[in-house]
Amino acid sequence: MDLLAAGKVSVLLLAGGQGTRLGFDHPKGMYDVGLKSHKTLFHMQAEQIARLTKLALAHGAKKGIAPPTRPLIKLYILTSDATHAETVEYFEQNNYFGLTAEGTRFFQQGMLPAVAADGRVLLASRSSLVLSPNGNGGVHQALIDCGVVDELERNGVEYLFQYCVDNVLVKIADPVFMGFMHSKHADCASKAVAKAHPDEPVGVLCTRGGRPGVAEYTELATQARHMVDARTGRLVYSASHICVNAFSVPFLRRNALLPLPLHLAHKRSPFVGPDGEVVTPAEPNAYKAEMFIFDIFQYADNMHALLAERGDEFSPLKNPRGSKSDCPETCLHDLQALGSRSGPDDYRLGAEDRE
């Protein structure tokens, strides 16, 4: 908590995704999972930072730690071309949900062209290309290009905590996690949870050629997914990457512009044909390139991971209502369970959402 009280930690929220898979035609952060208060993901998370700020200020006052004159825990929100304007307007219309305009900054990820199977770029019009977001790994370059790293350095911030908008149980800027990272003098740190079962389709923390990284589910052969450590009885590849990370600011300064691999996704994408008419394909026709945020781990000389309890810190919102997992119903259940077991020191929920 000392780091937070001294203003040494800022927060990065990845919020470029739409709620399309949820049947929700708005930024996913505006989704209401069904709490009695009807707070959206953005609302809950902004209030969480506001409550954590109060706790950190009280802690600092007891220990004689002088807070900075700027907002103590600034929130940086990465948006996409599809979500930027609506996200900014939503925060402005709701007075930043207890934060301030000075303590909240929005910036956009980059875009990359989509290409056909034969390598041709696809046209959105006769004079423009079909573009798609460059993936959450594009945040690293955006942090430099948009001057965020410059601002962090000017403000004396040492660490940037990062999470995704769709994890309803995330513990933003968790003081234990940040203290763990600081004690290890880490370039990067990641929170993980144990895989639910060997064939759970998630990426896992690993090393590649002696360097830290993440192996995607599709990269692991069946035999590798089921390998068990004879000493512990646990899966060898068991630490699920849940996209809760933290980076030291010096690490970002040194490495944010270094190259990351491109991952291709085969998707449907309307385009303009040679006759100038819009073609809407029935099957995937475009390869869209993305970068993944975890691919920067390879540049870390000192990286550490902290294992968290899945039921306490990970409940993603991915699927529409009525799905078997990772849907509004499971998220609501997990939030209600958190409210029933946690006390007032758990800053993730306000009193009105603990009922």
Side-chain angles (χ1 to χ4, degrees):
M1 191 66 84
D2 287 2
L3 290 170
L4 291 155
K8 299 300 183 183
V9 179
S10 288
V11 172
L12 170 62
L13 164 57
L14 304 185
Q18 291 272 62
T20 308
R21 287 176 61 184
L22 303 172
F24 183 68
D25 192 24
H26 300 282
K28 190 183 282 189
M30 294 172 61
Y31 194 84
D32 167 12
V33 298
L35 287 172
K36 289 182 180 180
S37 63
H38 293 292
K39 292 176 183 176
T40 63
L41 301 180
F42 281 146
H43 190 164
M44 287 190 290
Q45 291 162 12
E47 287 193 339
Q48 187 179 153
I49 294 172
R51 285 190 292 269
L52 179 58
T53 297
K54 290 180 180 179
L55 289 173
L57 288 171
H59 174 86
K62 289 180 181 178
K63 297 195 67 174
I65 300 173
T69 55
R70 58 175 171 79
L72 190 67
I73 305 172
K74 185 160 184 173
L75 173 61
Y76 295 89
I77 302 177
L78 180 75
T79 63
S80 64
D81 186 63
T83 65
H84 184 80
E86 194 170 6
T87 299
V88 173
E89 182 181 31
Y90 184 62
F91 271 80
E92 290 176 345
Q93 289 179 343
N94 289 278
N95 296 314
Y96 298 89
F97 304 105
L99 302 179
T100 64
E102 183 187 1
T104 311
R105 179 173 173 182
F106 305 89
F107 66 113
Q108 286 184 248
Q109 67 187 117
M111 307 286 281
L112 288 173
V115 298
D118 60 5
R120 291 179 298 108
V121 294
L122 296 175
L123 296 179
S125 70
R126 288 186 180 275
S127 59
S128 63
L129 301 178
V130 173
L131 299 174
S132 61
N134 61 4
N136 58 25
V139 68
H140 302 301
Q141 180 171 344
L143 287 169
I144 297 293
D145 291 348
C146 297
V148 173
V149 171
D150 291 337
E151 183 177 308
L152 295 171
E153 290 173 334
R154 286 196 306 271
N155 289 337
V157 174
E158 297 178 7
Y159 300 104
L160 187 62
F161 174 91
Q162 170 267 312
Y163 74 101
C164 292
V165 72
D166 59 5
N167 180 6
V168 301
L169 293 183
V170 65
K171 200 168 190 178
I172 299 172
D174 175 14
V176 173
F177 179 56
M178 300 313 302
F180 166 78
M181 180 181 185
H182 183 68
S183 71
K184 299 294 187 180
H185 306 286
D187 295 319
C188 304
S190 186
K191 271 195 181 182
V193 300
K195 288 185 73 172
H197 54 82
D199 294 316
E200 183 183 12
V202 295
V204 292
L205 295 170
C206 64
T207 57
R208 294 171 175 270
R211 307 298 296 180
V214 171
E216 285 291 279
Y217 172 77
T218 53
E219 297 179 285
L220 290 176
T222 301
Q223 182 179 359
R225 293 198 299 269
H226 287 257
M227 284 174 57
V228 174
D229 187 324
R231 296 170 302 169
T232 65
R234 298 174 181 172
L235 293 173
V236 171
Y237 296 104
S238 63
S240 302
H241 179 253
I242 59 174
C243 210
V244 174
N245 306 299
F247 306 95
S248 78
V249 174
F251 172 80
L252 291 171
R253 171 59 72 190
R254 293 192 306 269
N255 299 289
L257 296 181
L258 294 182
L260 299 180
L262 293 176
H263 304 262
L264 295 181
H266 199 200
K267 299 181 179 181
R268 289 192 306 118
S269 180
F271 65 97
V272 168
D275 58 0
E277 297 297 319
V278 175
V279 178
T280 303
E283 302 293 334
N285 66 308
Y287 286 92
K288 298 183 178 182
E290 296 179 313
M291 293 176 284
F292 294 160
I293 193 167
F294 54 69
D295 280 325
I296 202 172
F297 294 168
Q298 66 184 298
Y299 298 119
D301 293 322
N302 185 18
M303 180 172 175
H304 292 268
L306 186 65
L307 191 65
E309 288 291 335
R310 173 187 289 263
D312 189 54
E313 297 199 32
F314 184 55
S315 181
L317 178 62
K318 302 288 187 184
N319 302 317
R321 291 190 181 278
S323 301
K324 293 182 179 179
S325 63
D326 302 343
C327 61
E329 291 91 340
T330 57
C331 288
L332 178 60
H333 173 272
D334 292 341
L335 283 169
Q336 290 172 335
L338 173 66
S340 65
R341 70 174 179 266
S342 62
D345 288 341
D346 191 327
Y347 54 87
R348 285 177 288 180
L349 291 176
E352 66 278 14
D353 293 319
R354 293 183 184 278
E355 301 175 357

